[in-house]
Amino acid sequence: MKKTQGNYTILVITVENKFGVLARVSGLFSRRGVNIKSLAVAPTDKAEFSRITVDLDIELEGVSLDQIINQLDKLINVVEIRALDPAESVERELMIVTVEAEASQRDELVDHLDKVGGKVLNIGTESMMLSLVETSSVIDDFESFLSSYGIVELQRTGRVALDSL
Amino acid sequence: MTSENIDGGKALIRALEKEGVEVMFGLPGGAILPVYDPIIDSTIRHILVRHEQGAGHMAQGYAQATGKPGVAMVTSGPAATNIVTPLCDAYLDSTPLVVITGQVPLAAIGTDAFQECDTTGITMGVTKHNFLVKDAQDIPRIVKEAFHIATTGRPGPVLIDLPKDIVDPNNPRSELDWVENPEMELPGYKPEKNIDLTAIENALELIQTSKRPVFYVGGGILKARAAEALRELVEITGIHVVTTLMARGAFPDSHELCLGMPGMHGNYTAVTSMQKADLLVALGARFDDRVTGKVDGFAPDAKIIHVDIDPAELGKVRKPDVAINGDCRLVIEAMVDLLRREESIQIDRSEWKSMISGWQERFPLTYEDSEPGSRLKPQYVLEQLRDLTPEDTIVASGVGQHQMWTSQYWSFDHPYTWINSGGLGTMGFSIPAAIGAKVGNPDRMVWAVDGDGCFQMTAQELVTSTVENVPIKVALLNNSYLGMVRQWQDMFYEERFSEVFLSDDVPNYKAWAESMGCVGIRVDSPEEVPEAIAKANEIEDRSVVIDFRTAPEERVYPMVPAGKDNSSIVVPPSQESQER
């Protein structure tokens, strides 16, 4: 499976916090045949606005990123849009995952989890639920590591990012 | 401020009145019924159409001819889907429209209720913006926002979807406090642009130093009401002008610096001057594929100045050397202002001018006269029509060969006299659009030039013209074929004519016109043409349809074949031996 390493583009879009706005934004990508790799949406510190973080492969198959930005900016409900330079921003992603883990395997697993700064959320008889907040590439690596245990269920949030200080 | 309690339906009509709406086009139905009741008491004239597509195109014709936003109102479901084509047409041609659709009651949305469809979902990609109103109290504000969005910046269609319960006086949900001056809530919409004066100075430097410049004028000039400003700019600079299909009339065809229409069926000089230019000044034009031909080979030596109100147009197709984001009129006025103040640089362009006049002499628009006893030449009919109608006649066309010939052979000397479907290419556009134009200009003569394929798509709106007393005239160029498709099969499919023959004798257009309350005239021979046009011109109390029987084998020339660059322009056989 292809992982999220390599080049990527983060678009940060401030929109009105209203019904239908996400469909307008995502529709602009789907009409051009562009896949959104991950998408995070939540209200900002001002309740009337939401911030959308879109993670795209830099290879857009002939579609101009500037054109997408210009056309997104034309949407009436889009208040502000810009591309974040990965080198100039701080990004994080959250993963929660349930992995198969017999009692005998747990020490090794928790040891690795500690090294990357993750947490144990829940413990079952044959499995554990873990969480990790890290960069997407660290999460990719940890996910690969977990696959040898057997992943039962997994959810990642996709990137969120802010400008570096 | 005194508060006044009214219902959503009344609020909608009152809000439209407040926006200055004088006329709306529509057709009632279940979900929109409550809004049709207050129309009886309104100052707004309602034109009852025979098909919702007609309402949309009429609103477009009205808007294109008057510059005011066109308004249409229809019910939910099939009515909403029937008006999707005009919305898309208006979206591509940047026509200001406000379309109101009925919707099933809020509680029924999503239940597959009778005549329910996801109108805002369906129209999202074909409107500048759309609204699903969920609270009657929002109606005055949303109407104000809709007109603001439709008419400012790059104009376009806006749709308001109105669930029935919020406009139905029998439903408590429809109650609201009327707000006379609602405050708009559009934090993301900023159509005003600060014009970059440095960019204008850079543009003027390019303009003044170029040896082979051309003004490439698009529909944005008309939207910006910039025809007068453009004329000043052209006359100060002495630079030739091409007017695209959407800009015919923005600069007078009779002016010595006007080269006419460029593009796939543009005239040789307009196409070739762009192709050989060292500078193209694009004013409210969008480098459409029908203008550029193969983009990689388009105007290879030209630097580009691109002026557009829509920043997403700048660099969309061709990277500009100077990009100016702003209203064309304001930008041109700023250019004129600077040019008047500065010492003008007079560069010698005599060589370029003689190249242009050489092309004009060698490659005029031309056609062969018809043989006695054979069908009429469409170009001849259009020349007669042009010469026998008042100079300020408004002409609306459908889509296809007749559209191209009209654009080529008419002489457009006034802005807002040419109405057509340029971007979407909607067959059947002309009759409803002509009706809408006539509604907006009751004292002007309005001709629709139509093809027989187009006519059969929307002719029923001639019933509307009769019943609503909006008399138009229709020049039907009837060649019994889907002519433009036939031309492509003729030229590019080895004359294998697939599904393009309509019929030589059905329908009987004269009888059909008469059955709709119009005068019907059939014309077979060239001698009858002027007489029929003169007769039509005299009839003022009803619509007239002239069935001109034209030659099916006639091709529109010149033609740049699809996918080829503009230097591959195909000229009529009589000009093939001319030196290029």
Side-chain angles (χ1 to χ4, degrees):
Chain A
M1 210 176 95
K2 224 179 159 192
K3 290 295 170 189
T4 48
Q5 282 153 355
N7 284 334
Y8 58 93
T9 299
I10 303 170
L11 295 183
V12 175
I13 313 170
T14 307
V15 299
E16 290 182 73
N17 183 6
K18 285 184 177 169
F19 68 89
V21 176
L22 182 60
R24 292 175 200 277
V25 170
S26 61
L28 225 134
F29 291 94
S30 68
R31 255 173 268 153
R32 283 158 186 75
V34 174
N35 184 40
I36 294 172
K37 198 156 59 175
S38 79
L39 185 70
V41 190
T44 64
D45 53 320
K46 295 187 187 77
E48 67 269 31
F49 299 122
S50 286
R51 181 173 163 118
I52 300 178
T53 308
V54 185
D55 186 1
L56 297 170
D57 283 313
I58 200 112
E59 303 294 338
L60 292 174
E61 290 162 22
V63 181
S64 150
L65 181 67
D66 286 343
Q67 190 60 23
I68 288 181
I69 291 174
N70 284 336
Q71 293 192 330
L72 282 168
D73 203 15
K74 274 171 73 172
L75 294 176
I76 304 295
N77 302 122
V78 169
V79 179
E80 200 197 338
I81 177 165
R82 62 206 173 90
L84 281 190
D85 179 351
E88 303 279 322
S89 55
V90 176
E91 56 146 303
R92 282 297 178 272
E93 181 173 355
L94 163 67
M95 173 175 73
I96 54 176
V97 57
T98 302
V99 290
E100 290 169 16
E102 302 285 336
S104 62
Q105 297 174 296
R106 289 183 185 174
D107 285 351
E108 184 200 45
L109 183 56
V110 170
D111 195 38
H112 275 90
L113 187 66
D114 284 344
K115 279 184 188 147
V116 290
K119 286 181 181 160
V120 177
L121 300 183
N122 207 340
I123 299 176
T125 50
E126 289 168 355
S127 58
M128 295 173 81
M129 190 191 296
L130 316 174
S131 76
L132 176 61
V133 175
E134 246 303 344
T135 61
S136 297
S137 76
V138 170
I139 290 182
D140 287 342
D141 293 344
F142 192 62
E143 187 188 326
S144 302
F145 164 73
L146 292 178
S147 60
S148 61
Y149 289 83
I151 293 170
V152 179
E153 201 178 2
L154 175 146
Q155 173 69 59
R156 296 172 61 159
T157 59
R159 285 191 168 90
V160 292
L162 295 175
D163 292 305
S164 302
L165 301 178
Chain B
M1 210 167 93
T2 56
S3 94
E4 186 192 348
N5 215 257
I6 64 172
D7 68 74
K10 284 198 187 74
L12 183 88
I13 296 299
R14 191 185 289 187
L16 294 177
E17 288 168 351
K18 232 178 119 257
E19 290 297 329
V21 175
E22 292 164 358
V23 61
M24 61 200 292
F25 305 88
L27 195 144
I32 199 73
L33 262 169
V35 190
Y36 266 82
D37 188 69
I39 286 180
I40 295 174
D41 306 315
S42 171
T43 56
I44 298 172
R45 178 183 182 190
H46 182 277
I47 305 276
L48 175 62
V49 300
R50 295 302 182 265
H51 187 284
E52 292 88 352
Q53 184 188 359
H57 292 323
M58 284 179 205
Q60 286 185 276
Y62 176 87
Q64 284 193 25
T66 64
K68 298 179 212 165
V71 180
M73 183 157 80
V74 299
T75 193
S76 63
T81 56
N82 279 344
I83 210 160
V84 170
T85 300
L87 285 169
C88 189
D89 196 294
Y91 189 56
L92 279 173
D93 285 348
S94 307
T95 310
L97 287 194
V98 173
V99 171
I100 296 141
T101 47
Q103 182 55 277
V104 300
L106 281 166
I109 289 178
T111 66
D112 302 331
F114 178 65
Q115 293 195 329
E116 182 188 359
C117 77
D118 174 14
T119 304
T120 49
I122 290 170
T123 59
M124 201 174 273
V126 297
T127 52
K128 185 171 172 186
H129 193 58
N130 61 21
F131 296 92
L132 171 63
V133 190
K134 290 179 71 182
D135 185 342
Q137 190 59 51
D138 294 337
I139 290 174
R141 174 178 53 80
I142 284 178
V143 170
K144 187 176 180 184
E145 289 173 353
F147 278 84
H148 178 63
I149 292 168
T151 55
T152 53
R154 179 179 184 166
V158 177
L159 179 136
I160 303 173
D161 200 25
L162 278 179
K164 186 173 186 177
D165 44 351
I166 66 161
V167 289
D168 180 0
N170 299 318
N171 190 313
R173 293 193 78 135
S174 77
E175 267 183 44
L176 68 133
D177 289 328
W178 171 256
V179 188
E180 190 64 22
N181 287 304
E183 198 162 321
M184 293 192 286
E185 295 168 13
L186 299 169
Y189 184 61
K190 296 173 198 80
E192 298 81 20
K193 312 286 175 192
N194 295 320
I195 292 167
D196 178 356
L197 281 173
T198 315
I200 289 186
E201 281 168 9
N202 293 342
L204 288 178
E205 196 180 323
L206 277 181
I207 289 171
Q208 287 178 310
T209 53
S210 66
K211 291 211 163 111
R212 303 187 306 279
V214 174
F215 283 124
Y216 159 30
V217 168
I221 290 287
L222 293 172
K223 302 300 184 307
R225 318 301 285 183
E228 271 180 50
L230 171 68
R231 189 169 177 146
E232 261 192 280
L233 178 64
V234 173
E235 287 177 351
I236 292 177
T237 55
I239 292 172
H240 289 87
V241 179
V242 299
T243 51
T244 69
L245 182 66
M246 290 310 298
R248 306 289 289 130
F251 188 73
D253 277 332
S254 56
H255 196 286
E256 59 173 353
L257 291 170
C258 191
L259 303 178
M261 182 176 74
M264 182 176 267
H265 292 294
N267 72 75
Y268 186 91
T269 306
V271 173
T272 308
S273 63
M274 286 179 94
Q275 196 63 2
K276 306 269 188 206
D278 67 351
L279 176 69
L280 289 179
V281 186
L283 302 168
R286 60 182 177 86
F287 295 81
D288 179 74
D289 57 83
R290 285 303 190 262
V291 167
T292 61
K294 188 181 171 197
V295 174
D296 294 343
F298 174 64
D301 305 326
K303 291 200 162 166
I304 306 288
I305 297 168
H306 195 170
V307 181
D308 207 290
I309 187 103
D310 179 358
E313 287 300 336
L314 304 171
K316 181 181 83 175
V317 175
R318 174 82 175 250
K319 195 175 180 310
D321 298 274
V322 179
I324 302 174
N325 182 210
D327 175 88
C328 273
R329 187 171 58 80
L330 300 179
V331 171
I332 292 172
E333 283 172 357
M335 285 178 166
V336 168
D337 198 40
L338 276 174
L339 284 168
R340 287 209 191 286
R341 272 189 277 155
E342 279 172 16
E343 199 65 30
S344 74
I345 311 161
Q346 281 307 330
I347 190 162
D348 179 18
R349 296 191 182 120
S350 54
E351 200 182 328
W352 176 235
K353 283 180 182 164
S354 72
M355 279 168 83
I356 287 174
S357 57
W359 294 325
Q360 287 175 318
E361 276 165 36
R362 293 197 299 281
F363 299 100
L365 288 172
T366 185
Y367 64 95
E368 310 280 327
D369 289 335
S370 58
E371 300 288 329
S374 61
R375 290 172 76 148
L376 297 164
K377 287 300 176 91
Q379 302 95 328
Y380 166 76
V381 174
L382 285 164
E383 284 176 335
Q384 292 296 308
L385 195 59
R386 173 194 68 202
D387 295 343
L388 296 172
T389 49
E391 197 201 286
D392 65 349
T393 296
I394 295 172
V395 56
S397 91
V399 168
Q401 286 185 313
H402 67 277
Q403 175 190 26
M404 294 297 108
W405 282 317
T406 311
S407 181
Q408 288 178 339
Y409 283 88
W410 207 267
S411 181
F412 293 100
D413 285 326
H414 302 281
Y416 315 108
T417 54
W418 167 237
I419 292 162
N420 87 131
S421 165
L424 192 63
T426 305
M427 286 178 68
F429 181 79
S430 73
I431 287 174
I435 292 170
K438 180 70 177 177
V439 168
N441 296 273
D443 301 329
R444 301 261 293 275
M445 191 179 284
V446 178
W447 275 87
V449 177
D450 219 0
D452 45 330
C454 284
F455 186 87
Q456 293 184 60
M457 290 192 177
T458 52
Q460 80 283 350
E461 298 306 340
L462 286 169
V463 177
T464 307
S465 92
T466 300
V467 176
E468 298 278 351
N469 192 23
V470 187
I472 61 160
K473 304 174 200 308
V474 182
L476 175 60
L477 301 181
N478 172 10
N479 66 357
S480 311
Y481 277 88
L482 297 169
M484 187 58 92
V485 189
R486 186 190 190 282
Q487 175 170 343
W488 283 52
Q489 291 176 347
D490 182 13
M491 294 173 73
F492 312 118
Y493 290 83
E494 299 164 340
E495 299 175 46
R496 288 162 56 85
F497 296 118
S498 174
E499 303 298 325
V500 286
F501 177 64
L502 295 169
S503 166
D504 276 329
D505 43 25
V506 286
N508 177 334
Y509 291 98
K510 181 174 184 293
W512 189 6
E514 286 167 354
S515 77
M516 293 188 284
C518 309
V519 174
I521 303 170
R522 172 172 162 148
V523 174
D524 289 272
S525 70
E527 309 80 63
E528 299 168 318
V529 171
E531 192 187 326
I533 293 168
K535 185 177 169 194
N537 284 344
E538 279 166 19
I539 297 168
E540 288 179 348
D541 62 343
R542 62 183 68 198
S543 292
V544 183
V545 176
I546 310 180
D547 174 12
F548 292 106
R549 312 289 291 193
T550 59
E553 62 280 358
E554 199 61 21
R555 291 173 176 175
V556 182
Y557 283 116
M559 178 174 194
V560 179
K564 296 277 179 64
D565 73 50
N566 285 343
S567 57
S568 316
I569 184 167
V570 178
V571 295
S574 64
Q575 294 174 347
E576 273 167 9
S577 56
Q578 289 285 4
E579 182 205 343
R580 291 278 175 127

